[in-house]
Amino acid sequence: METCITPFPNDGAGDQLKPFPERLYAVPPRIASGSVPGISVDAYLKDNTMWKKHVKAYKRINSILDTGRYRNIMDMNAGLGGFVAAIYSSKSWVMNVMPTIAKKNTLGVIYERGLVGIYHDWCEGFSTYPRTYDLIHANGVFSLYKNKCNLEDILIEMDRILHPEGAVIIRDEVDVLVKVKKIVAGMRWDTRMVDHEDGPLVPEKILVAVKQYWTVDGV
C-alpha cells in the first residue's frame, strides 16, 4: 500500500493541515501560500461565507436537508468545496466533482479541506461505482457547459445517478433554468423555481426538483 500513498511535500505544507473537521474551514495551506492562482485568503473566506448563506436558503426551501435523509450527496461543480463544508454532516458522504473545463483547478483545495473529489467532464457519463446519490447540487453547471454539449445529455445523466425520490438543487442564470425546467418536466421531476436569497431582481435563481418514483405501467 505504501506505493499508493502520495507523501506530503517537503515544504512543510502537510504539517499545517488541521485535524478534521477543523480543516473544513481552516485556510488550506496552498491558499495561504498563494499557490492557487486567483484565489487569495480573503476570497476563500468570502466563498465560505457565501456558501453558508446559500445553504441556509436551501434549508428554508427543503426542510429535510438537515435531517440526514440525504446520505449520498454530489456537488457537480465543487469550486472551493464551500457548499459541502456548509452542509457537512457526519451522517452523509459527499462526492465533489471538479469539471475538467472549470476556469480554476481547485481540486487540491478540496483535498486539503479533508474532502473527497474527482475530475470529470459532464459531457460524458459518470461512473456510479460504488454508489448513486440522494442529493445532487449543480451550481452554474449548465452555464458552464452551454456551448459544450446538450443540456438534455447532462440532465439524463443526472437522472440516471439519482435515486428515485432523490432531490436536485440547481443554481444558475434564470434563462438557463427556464430551459432546464422545461426539459425535466418530461422526466417526471417535480420542480419549483425559487428566487435568489437576495431577492427577485438577482438574475441567478434556484431550481429545486425531486425525482419521482414511477413505473412503466404507472403503478
mmCIF file of all heavy atoms in Angstrom, residues 76 122-126 141-143 145-161 170 175-189:
data_model
loop_
_atom_site.group_PDB
_atom_site.id
_atom_site.type_symbol
_atom_site.label_atom_id
_atom_site.label_comp_id
_atom_site.label_asym_id
_atom_site.label_seq_id
_atom_site.Cartn_x
_atom_site.Cartn_y
_atom_site.Cartn_z
ATOM 1 N N MET A 76 -21.759 18.868 -8.307
ATOM 2 C CA MET A 76 -21.293 18.707 -9.680
ATOM 3 C C MET A 76 -20.257 19.746 -10.104
ATOM 4 O O MET A 76 -19.564 19.556 -11.106
ATOM 5 C CB MET A 76 -22.484 18.763 -10.644
ATOM 6 C CG MET A 76 -23.461 17.612 -10.493
ATOM 7 S SD MET A 76 -24.898 17.776 -11.585
ATOM 8 C CE MET A 76 -24.147 17.586 -13.207
ATOM 9 N N TRP A 122 -18.684 16.662 -17.748
ATOM 10 C CA TRP A 122 -20.114 16.345 -17.689
ATOM 11 C C TRP A 122 -20.754 16.137 -19.058
ATOM 12 O O TRP A 122 -21.949 15.865 -19.145
ATOM 13 C CB TRP A 122 -20.865 17.404 -16.887
ATOM 14 C CG TRP A 122 -20.650 17.235 -15.419
ATOM 15 C CD1 TRP A 122 -19.968 18.059 -14.578
ATOM 16 C CD2 TRP A 122 -21.093 16.137 -14.620
ATOM 17 N NE1 TRP A 122 -19.950 17.550 -13.306
ATOM 18 C CE2 TRP A 122 -20.640 16.371 -13.300
ATOM 19 C CE3 TRP A 122 -21.822 14.978 -14.885
ATOM 20 C CZ2 TRP A 122 -20.897 15.483 -12.258
ATOM 21 C CZ3 TRP A 122 -22.079 14.090 -13.850
ATOM 22 C CH2 TRP A 122 -21.625 14.354 -12.552
ATOM 23 N N CYS A 123 -19.968 16.235 -20.119
ATOM 24 C CA CYS A 123 -20.470 15.831 -21.437
ATOM 25 C C CYS A 123 -20.375 14.313 -21.596
ATOM 26 O O CYS A 123 -20.834 13.760 -22.595
ATOM 27 C CB CYS A 123 -19.675 16.515 -22.553
ATOM 28 S SG CYS A 123 -19.963 18.299 -22.659
ATOM 29 N N GLU A 124 -19.770 13.657 -20.611
ATOM 30 C CA GLU A 124 -19.606 12.207 -20.638
ATOM 31 C C GLU A 124 -20.302 11.576 -19.434
ATOM 32 O O GLU A 124 -20.672 12.254 -18.481
ATOM 33 C CB GLU A 124 -18.111 11.856 -20.622
ATOM 34 C CG GLU A 124 -17.337 12.435 -21.795
ATOM 35 C CD GLU A 124 -15.859 12.126 -21.722
ATOM 36 O OE1 GLU A 124 -15.447 11.404 -20.787
ATOM 37 O OE2 GLU A 124 -15.116 12.608 -22.586
ATOM 38 N N GLY A 125 -20.471 10.259 -19.486
ATOM 39 C CA GLY A 125 -21.107 9.538 -18.393
ATOM 40 C C GLY A 125 -20.225 9.515 -17.155
ATOM 41 O O GLY A 125 -18.996 9.538 -17.250
ATOM 42 N N PHE A 126 -20.862 9.463 -15.996
ATOM 43 C CA PHE A 126 -20.146 9.438 -14.719
ATOM 44 C C PHE A 126 -20.226 8.034 -14.122
ATOM 45 O O PHE A 126 -21.305 7.448 -14.041
ATOM 46 C CB PHE A 126 -20.771 10.447 -13.750
ATOM 47 C CG PHE A 126 -20.025 10.601 -12.449
ATOM 48 C CD1 PHE A 126 -18.991 11.515 -12.343
ATOM 49 C CD2 PHE A 126 -20.354 9.832 -11.344
ATOM 50 C CE1 PHE A 126 -18.292 11.663 -11.148
ATOM 51 C CE2 PHE A 126 -19.665 9.967 -10.149
ATOM 52 C CZ PHE A 126 -18.629 10.890 -10.051
ATOM 53 N N VAL A 141 -23.508 24.739 -13.485
ATOM 54 C CA VAL A 141 -23.077 23.656 -14.373
ATOM 55 C C VAL A 141 -23.591 23.863 -15.798
ATOM 56 O O VAL A 141 -22.854 23.697 -16.776
ATOM 57 C CB VAL A 141 -23.540 22.286 -13.834
ATOM 58 C CG1 VAL A 141 -23.316 21.185 -14.871
ATOM 59 C CG2 VAL A 141 -22.805 21.951 -12.544
ATOM 60 N N PHE A 142 -24.849 24.249 -15.925
ATOM 61 C CA PHE A 142 -25.443 24.343 -17.260
ATOM 62 C C PHE A 142 -24.944 25.564 -18.027
ATOM 63 O O PHE A 142 -24.809 25.516 -19.250
ATOM 64 C CB PHE A 142 -26.964 24.312 -17.148
ATOM 65 C CG PHE A 142 -27.465 22.997 -16.629
ATOM 66 C CD1 PHE A 142 -27.760 22.830 -15.282
ATOM 67 C CD2 PHE A 142 -27.586 21.906 -17.467
ATOM 68 C CE1 PHE A 142 -28.182 21.606 -14.790
ATOM 69 C CE2 PHE A 142 -28.006 20.675 -16.992
ATOM 70 C CZ PHE A 142 -28.303 20.522 -15.646
ATOM 71 N N SER A 143 -24.630 26.625 -17.336
ATOM 72 C CA SER A 143 -23.994 27.768 -17.998
ATOM 73 C C SER A 143 -22.578 27.403 -18.438
ATOM 74 O O SER A 143 -22.125 27.791 -19.518
ATOM 75 C CB SER A 143 -23.945 28.972 -17.055
ATOM 76 O OG SER A 143 -25.231 29.527 -16.872
ATOM 77 N N TYR A 145 -21.456 24.510 -19.344
ATOM 78 C CA TYR A 145 -21.449 23.572 -20.473
ATOM 79 C C TYR A 145 -22.385 23.993 -21.611
ATOM 80 O O TYR A 145 -22.632 23.199 -22.519
ATOM 81 C CB TYR A 145 -21.837 22.176 -19.987
ATOM 82 C CG TYR A 145 -20.714 21.449 -19.293
ATOM 83 C CD1 TYR A 145 -20.549 21.541 -17.914
ATOM 84 C CD2 TYR A 145 -19.800 20.679 -20.013
ATOM 85 C CE1 TYR A 145 -19.508 20.887 -17.268
ATOM 86 C CE2 TYR A 145 -18.763 20.020 -19.378
ATOM 87 C CZ TYR A 145 -18.623 20.124 -18.006
ATOM 88 O OH TYR A 145 -17.584 19.468 -17.380
ATOM 89 N N LYS A 146 -22.859 25.221 -21.571
ATOM 90 C CA LYS A 146 -23.877 25.670 -22.526
ATOM 91 C C LYS A 146 -23.462 25.472 -23.978
ATOM 92 O O LYS A 146 -24.267 25.095 -24.819
ATOM 93 C CB LYS A 146 -24.208 27.141 -22.263
ATOM 94 C CG LYS A 146 -25.366 27.673 -23.076
ATOM 95 C CD LYS A 146 -25.948 28.940 -22.478
ATOM 96 C CE LYS A 146 -24.921 30.008 -22.225
ATOM 97 N NZ LYS A 146 -25.537 31.265 -21.719
ATOM 98 N N ASN A 147 -22.220 25.712 -24.300
ATOM 99 C CA ASN A 147 -21.747 25.574 -25.675
ATOM 100 C C ASN A 147 -20.856 24.350 -25.874
ATOM 101 O O ASN A 147 -20.122 24.257 -26.862
ATOM 102 C CB ASN A 147 -20.984 26.838 -26.087
ATOM 103 C CG ASN A 147 -21.858 28.077 -26.042
ATOM 104 O OD1 ASN A 147 -23.001 28.050 -26.495
ATOM 105 N ND2 ASN A 147 -21.337 29.161 -25.475
ATOM 106 N N LYS A 148 -20.923 23.436 -24.917
ATOM 107 C CA LYS A 148 -20.075 22.244 -24.968
ATOM 108 C C LYS A 148 -20.857 20.984 -25.332
ATOM 109 O O LYS A 148 -20.383 20.139 -26.081
ATOM 110 C CB LYS A 148 -19.373 22.044 -23.622
ATOM 111 C CG LYS A 148 -18.528 23.227 -23.166
ATOM 112 C CD LYS A 148 -17.352 23.475 -24.095
ATOM 113 C CE LYS A 148 -16.500 24.632 -23.585
ATOM 114 N NZ LYS A 148 -15.356 24.923 -24.484
ATOM 115 N N CYS A 149 -22.040 20.836 -24.750
ATOM 116 C CA CYS A 149 -22.876 19.671 -25.049
ATOM 117 C C CYS A 149 -24.326 20.007 -24.713
ATOM 118 O O CYS A 149 -24.620 21.067 -24.147
ATOM 119 C CB CYS A 149 -22.407 18.432 -24.291
ATOM 120 S SG CYS A 149 -22.197 18.660 -22.514
ATOM 121 N N ASN A 150 -25.237 19.122 -25.059
ATOM 122 C CA ASN A 150 -26.660 19.379 -24.868
ATOM 123 C C ASN A 150 -27.057 19.311 -23.398
ATOM 124 O O ASN A 150 -26.601 18.435 -22.657
ATOM 125 C CB ASN A 150 -27.496 18.359 -25.653
ATOM 126 C CG ASN A 150 -27.324 18.505 -27.155
ATOM 127 O OD1 ASN A 150 -27.122 19.615 -27.660
ATOM 128 N ND2 ASN A 150 -27.392 17.397 -27.866
ATOM 129 N N LEU A 151 -27.941 20.228 -22.999
ATOM 130 C CA LEU A 151 -28.455 20.195 -21.634
ATOM 131 C C LEU A 151 -29.130 18.858 -21.344
ATOM 132 O O LEU A 151 -29.036 18.322 -20.234
ATOM 133 C CB LEU A 151 -29.463 21.330 -21.420
ATOM 134 C CG LEU A 151 -28.979 22.774 -21.607
ATOM 135 C CD1 LEU A 151 -30.102 23.746 -21.281
ATOM 136 C CD2 LEU A 151 -27.772 23.053 -20.736
ATOM 137 N N GLU A 152 -29.832 18.330 -22.355
ATOM 138 C CA GLU A 152 -30.548 17.067 -22.177
ATOM 139 C C GLU A 152 -29.612 15.937 -21.759
ATOM 140 O O GLU A 152 -29.967 15.103 -20.916
ATOM 141 C CB GLU A 152 -31.274 16.669 -23.472
ATOM 142 C CG GLU A 152 -32.433 17.566 -23.849
ATOM 143 C CD GLU A 152 -32.009 18.729 -24.735
ATOM 144 O OE1 GLU A 152 -30.797 19.065 -24.740
ATOM 145 O OE2 GLU A 152 -32.886 19.299 -25.410
ATOM 146 N N ASP A 153 -28.420 15.913 -22.357
ATOM 147 C CA ASP A 153 -27.478 14.835 -22.048
ATOM 148 C C ASP A 153 -27.034 14.885 -20.588
ATOM 149 O O ASP A 153 -26.922 13.852 -19.917
ATOM 150 C CB ASP A 153 -26.254 14.924 -22.968
ATOM 151 C CG ASP A 153 -26.599 14.646 -24.426
ATOM 152 O OD1 ASP A 153 -27.634 13.989 -24.668
ATOM 153 O OD2 ASP A 153 -25.851 15.087 -25.312
ATOM 154 N N ILE A 154 -26.787 16.088 -20.090
ATOM 155 C CA ILE A 154 -26.373 16.229 -18.691
ATOM 156 C C ILE A 154 -27.522 15.862 -17.762
ATOM 157 O O ILE A 154 -27.336 15.159 -16.757
ATOM 158 C CB ILE A 154 -25.888 17.665 -18.411
ATOM 159 C CG1 ILE A 154 -24.674 17.995 -19.280
ATOM 160 C CG2 ILE A 154 -25.540 17.836 -16.931
ATOM 161 C CD1 ILE A 154 -24.192 19.431 -19.154
ATOM 162 N N LEU A 155 -28.723 16.298 -18.096
ATOM 163 C CA LEU A 155 -29.884 16.021 -17.246
ATOM 164 C C LEU A 155 -30.222 14.533 -17.212
ATOM 165 O O LEU A 155 -30.590 13.992 -16.160
ATOM 166 C CB LEU A 155 -31.091 16.828 -17.728
ATOM 167 C CG LEU A 155 -31.015 18.324 -17.418
ATOM 168 C CD1 LEU A 155 -32.034 19.097 -18.239
ATOM 169 C CD2 LEU A 155 -31.226 18.572 -15.926
ATOM 170 N N ILE A 156 -30.095 13.870 -18.345
ATOM 171 C CA ILE A 156 -30.347 12.422 -18.375
ATOM 172 C C ILE A 156 -29.329 11.685 -17.512
ATOM 173 O O ILE A 156 -29.660 10.727 -16.809
ATOM 174 C CB ILE A 156 -30.328 11.900 -19.827
ATOM 175 C CG1 ILE A 156 -31.569 12.403 -20.572
ATOM 176 C CG2 ILE A 156 -30.278 10.375 -19.864
ATOM 177 C CD1 ILE A 156 -31.560 12.123 -22.057
ATOM 178 N N GLU A 157 -28.086 12.145 -17.545
ATOM 179 C CA GLU A 157 -27.059 11.528 -16.703
ATOM 180 C C GLU A 157 -27.345 11.788 -15.223
ATOM 181 O O GLU A 157 -27.175 10.900 -14.379
ATOM 182 C CB GLU A 157 -25.677 12.063 -17.083
ATOM 183 C CG GLU A 157 -24.526 11.425 -16.339
ATOM 184 C CD GLU A 157 -24.377 9.931 -16.595
ATOM 185 O OE1 GLU A 157 -25.094 9.362 -17.456
ATOM 186 O OE2 GLU A 157 -23.535 9.317 -15.921
ATOM 187 N N MET A 158 -27.813 12.985 -14.903
ATOM 188 C CA MET A 158 -28.199 13.279 -13.525
ATOM 189 C C MET A 158 -29.344 12.375 -13.082
ATOM 190 O O MET A 158 -29.342 11.850 -11.960
ATOM 191 C CB MET A 158 -28.611 14.750 -13.401
ATOM 192 C CG MET A 158 -27.465 15.734 -13.551
ATOM 193 S SD MET A 158 -28.019 17.459 -13.657
ATOM 194 C CE MET A 158 -28.665 17.716 -12.000
ATOM 195 N N ASP A 159 -30.312 12.181 -13.963
ATOM 196 C CA ASP A 159 -31.449 11.319 -13.646
ATOM 197 C C ASP A 159 -30.989 9.886 -13.399
ATOM 198 O O ASP A 159 -31.497 9.200 -12.504
ATOM 199 C CB ASP A 159 -32.458 11.365 -14.796
ATOM 200 C CG ASP A 159 -33.723 10.577 -14.506
ATOM 201 O OD1 ASP A 159 -34.560 11.077 -13.729
ATOM 202 O OD2 ASP A 159 -33.868 9.457 -15.041
ATOM 203 N N ARG A 160 -30.011 9.450 -14.169
ATOM 204 C CA ARG A 160 -29.517 8.074 -14.034
ATOM 205 C C ARG A 160 -28.838 7.841 -12.694
ATOM 206 O O ARG A 160 -28.995 6.774 -12.083
ATOM 207 C CB ARG A 160 -28.532 7.766 -15.170
ATOM 208 C CG ARG A 160 -28.051 6.316 -15.197
ATOM 209 C CD ARG A 160 -26.972 6.110 -16.244
ATOM 210 N NE ARG A 160 -25.721 6.758 -15.895
ATOM 211 C CZ ARG A 160 -24.815 6.249 -15.056
ATOM 212 N NH1 ARG A 160 -25.032 5.079 -14.463
ATOM 213 N NH2 ARG A 160 -23.694 6.898 -14.798
ATOM 214 N N ILE A 161 -28.075 8.818 -12.224
ATOM 215 C CA ILE A 161 -27.303 8.602 -10.995
ATOM 216 C C ILE A 161 -28.063 9.027 -9.736
ATOM 217 O O ILE A 161 -27.552 8.874 -8.625
ATOM 218 C CB ILE A 161 -25.945 9.333 -11.055
ATOM 219 C CG1 ILE A 161 -26.119 10.848 -11.076
ATOM 220 C CG2 ILE A 161 -25.142 8.870 -12.262
ATOM 221 C CD1 ILE A 161 -24.797 11.607 -11.109
ATOM 222 N N ILE A 170 -30.405 23.134 -8.339
ATOM 223 C CA ILE A 170 -29.663 23.720 -9.451
ATOM 224 C C ILE A 170 -29.664 25.239 -9.287
ATOM 225 O O ILE A 170 -30.720 25.868 -9.209
ATOM 226 C CB ILE A 170 -30.288 23.345 -10.807
ATOM 227 C CG1 ILE A 170 -30.406 21.816 -10.939
ATOM 228 C CG2 ILE A 170 -29.462 23.919 -11.956
ATOM 229 C CD1 ILE A 170 -31.167 21.372 -12.174
ATOM 230 N N ASP A 175 -32.434 32.346 -17.419
ATOM 231 C CA ASP A 175 -32.736 31.896 -18.778
ATOM 232 C C ASP A 175 -32.322 30.443 -18.990
ATOM 233 O O ASP A 175 -32.984 29.689 -19.716
ATOM 234 C CB ASP A 175 -32.072 32.804 -19.818
ATOM 235 C CG ASP A 175 -30.563 32.887 -19.659
ATOM 236 O OD1 ASP A 175 -30.082 32.754 -18.521
ATOM 237 O OD2 ASP A 175 -29.864 33.073 -20.671
ATOM 238 N N VAL A 176 -31.249 30.038 -18.334
ATOM 239 C CA VAL A 176 -30.797 28.646 -18.411
ATOM 240 C C VAL A 176 -31.761 27.738 -17.660
ATOM 241 O O VAL A 176 -32.143 26.667 -18.143
ATOM 242 C CB VAL A 176 -29.372 28.506 -17.837
ATOM 243 C CG1 VAL A 176 -28.947 27.041 -17.808
ATOM 244 C CG2 VAL A 176 -28.384 29.323 -18.651
ATOM 245 N N LEU A 177 -32.187 28.175 -16.488
ATOM 246 C CA LEU A 177 -33.075 27.347 -15.667
ATOM 247 C C LEU A 177 -34.450 27.169 -16.297
ATOM 248 O O LEU A 177 -35.087 26.128 -16.104
ATOM 249 C CB LEU A 177 -33.209 27.949 -14.266
ATOM 250 C CG LEU A 177 -31.958 27.874 -13.389
ATOM 251 C CD1 LEU A 177 -32.257 28.391 -11.990
ATOM 252 C CD2 LEU A 177 -31.428 26.447 -13.308
ATOM 253 N N VAL A 178 -34.907 28.156 -17.035
ATOM 254 C CA VAL A 178 -36.196 28.019 -17.737
ATOM 255 C C VAL A 178 -36.118 26.862 -18.736
ATOM 256 O O VAL A 178 -37.044 26.053 -18.852
ATOM 257 C CB VAL A 178 -36.574 29.336 -18.443
ATOM 258 C CG1 VAL A 178 -37.743 29.117 -19.403
ATOM 259 C CG2 VAL A 178 -36.940 30.399 -17.416
ATOM 260 N N LYS A 179 -35.000 26.764 -19.447
ATOM 261 C CA LYS A 179 -34.805 25.661 -20.395
ATOM 262 C C LYS A 179 -34.707 24.325 -19.663
ATOM 263 O O LYS A 179 -35.286 23.324 -20.092
ATOM 264 C CB LYS A 179 -33.540 25.903 -21.222
ATOM 265 C CG LYS A 179 -33.608 27.120 -22.128
ATOM 266 C CD LYS A 179 -32.284 27.336 -22.851
ATOM 267 C CE LYS A 179 -32.322 28.590 -23.708
ATOM 268 N NZ LYS A 179 -31.006 28.845 -24.372
ATOM 269 N N VAL A 180 -33.971 24.313 -18.562
ATOM 270 C CA VAL A 180 -33.817 23.087 -17.777
ATOM 271 C C VAL A 180 -35.167 22.625 -17.239
ATOM 272 O O VAL A 180 -35.512 21.437 -17.307
ATOM 273 C CB VAL A 180 -32.825 23.310 -16.615
ATOM 274 C CG1 VAL A 180 -32.854 22.131 -15.645
ATOM 275 C CG2 VAL A 180 -31.416 23.514 -17.152
ATOM 276 N N LYS A 181 -35.944 23.547 -16.723
ATOM 277 C CA LYS A 181 -37.255 23.223 -16.149
ATOM 278 C C LYS A 181 -38.171 22.585 -17.196
ATOM 279 O O LYS A 181 -38.913 21.634 -16.908
ATOM 280 C CB LYS A 181 -37.902 24.480 -15.576
ATOM 281 C CG LYS A 181 -39.141 24.236 -14.725
ATOM 282 C CD LYS A 181 -39.606 25.540 -14.091
ATOM 283 C CE LYS A 181 -40.695 25.302 -13.057
ATOM 284 N NZ LYS A 181 -41.930 24.753 -13.637
ATOM 285 N N LYS A 182 -38.109 23.093 -18.405
ATOM 286 C CA LYS A 182 -38.938 22.556 -19.486
ATOM 287 C C LYS A 182 -38.537 21.122 -19.822
ATOM 288 O O LYS A 182 -39.392 20.256 -20.045
ATOM 289 C CB LYS A 182 -38.804 23.444 -20.723
ATOM 290 C CG LYS A 182 -39.689 23.020 -21.885
ATOM 291 C CD LYS A 182 -39.557 23.988 -23.051
ATOM 292 C CE LYS A 182 -40.450 23.562 -24.215
ATOM 293 N NZ LYS A 182 -40.321 24.502 -25.369
ATOM 294 N N ILE A 183 -37.244 20.853 -19.823
ATOM 295 C CA ILE A 183 -36.752 19.508 -20.150
ATOM 296 C C ILE A 183 -37.133 18.504 -19.066
ATOM 297 O O ILE A 183 -37.641 17.417 -19.355
ATOM 298 C CB ILE A 183 -35.223 19.522 -20.344
ATOM 299 C CG1 ILE A 183 -34.853 20.375 -21.561
ATOM 300 C CG2 ILE A 183 -34.688 18.100 -20.523
ATOM 301 C CD1 ILE A 183 -33.366 20.670 -21.671
ATOM 302 N N VAL A 184 -36.903 18.862 -17.800
ATOM 303 C CA VAL A 184 -37.135 17.891 -16.725
ATOM 304 C C VAL A 184 -38.615 17.632 -16.478
ATOM 305 O O VAL A 184 -38.969 16.639 -15.833
ATOM 306 C CB VAL A 184 -36.441 18.321 -15.413
ATOM 307 C CG1 VAL A 184 -34.942 18.430 -15.621
ATOM 308 C CG2 VAL A 184 -37.002 19.622 -14.870
ATOM 309 N N ALA A 185 -39.477 18.484 -17.017
ATOM 310 C CA ALA A 185 -40.913 18.213 -16.912
ATOM 311 C C ALA A 185 -41.249 16.897 -17.611
ATOM 312 O O ALA A 185 -42.155 16.167 -17.192
ATOM 313 C CB ALA A 185 -41.710 19.359 -17.524
ATOM 314 N N GLY A 186 -40.501 16.575 -18.666
ATOM 315 C CA GLY A 186 -40.710 15.320 -19.378
ATOM 316 C C GLY A 186 -39.995 14.144 -18.745
ATOM 317 O O GLY A 186 -40.126 13.008 -19.210
ATOM 318 N N MET A 187 -39.244 14.401 -17.687
ATOM 319 C CA MET A 187 -38.518 13.341 -16.983
ATOM 320 C C MET A 187 -39.208 12.957 -15.678
ATOM 321 O O MET A 187 -38.663 12.207 -14.878
ATOM 322 C CB MET A 187 -37.081 13.816 -16.701
ATOM 323 C CG MET A 187 -36.265 14.047 -17.960
ATOM 324 S SD MET A 187 -34.717 14.984 -17.690
ATOM 325 C CE MET A 187 -33.913 14.032 -16.433
ATOM 326 N N ARG A 188 -40.383 13.521 -15.469
ATOM 327 C CA ARG A 188 -41.176 13.261 -14.260
ATOM 328 C C ARG A 188 -40.452 13.701 -12.995
ATOM 329 O O ARG A 188 -40.460 13.008 -11.979
ATOM 330 C CB ARG A 188 -41.588 11.785 -14.188
ATOM 331 C CG ARG A 188 -42.389 11.340 -15.406
ATOM 332 C CD ARG A 188 -43.131 10.057 -15.156
ATOM 333 N NE ARG A 188 -43.801 9.583 -16.358
ATOM 334 C CZ ARG A 188 -44.627 8.539 -16.399
ATOM 335 N NH1 ARG A 188 -44.889 7.861 -15.298
ATOM 336 N NH2 ARG A 188 -45.188 8.169 -17.523
ATOM 337 N N TRP A 189 -39.830 14.855 -13.084
ATOM 338 C CA TRP A 189 -39.293 15.508 -11.900
ATOM 339 C C TRP A 189 -40.295 16.569 -11.459
ATOM 340 O O TRP A 189 -40.807 17.326 -12.282
ATOM 341 C CB TRP A 189 -37.975 16.209 -12.202
ATOM 342 C CG TRP A 189 -36.785 15.324 -12.405
ATOM 343 C CD1 TRP A 189 -36.765 13.974 -12.579
ATOM 344 C CD2 TRP A 189 -35.421 15.757 -12.477
ATOM 345 N NE1 TRP A 189 -35.482 13.531 -12.754
ATOM 346 C CE2 TRP A 189 -34.631 14.604 -12.695
ATOM 347 C CE3 TRP A 189 -34.797 16.991 -12.379
ATOM 348 C CZ2 TRP A 189 -33.247 14.662 -12.819
ATOM 349 C CZ3 TRP A 189 -33.414 17.055 -12.500
ATOM 350 C CH2 TRP A 189 -32.651 15.897 -12.713
#
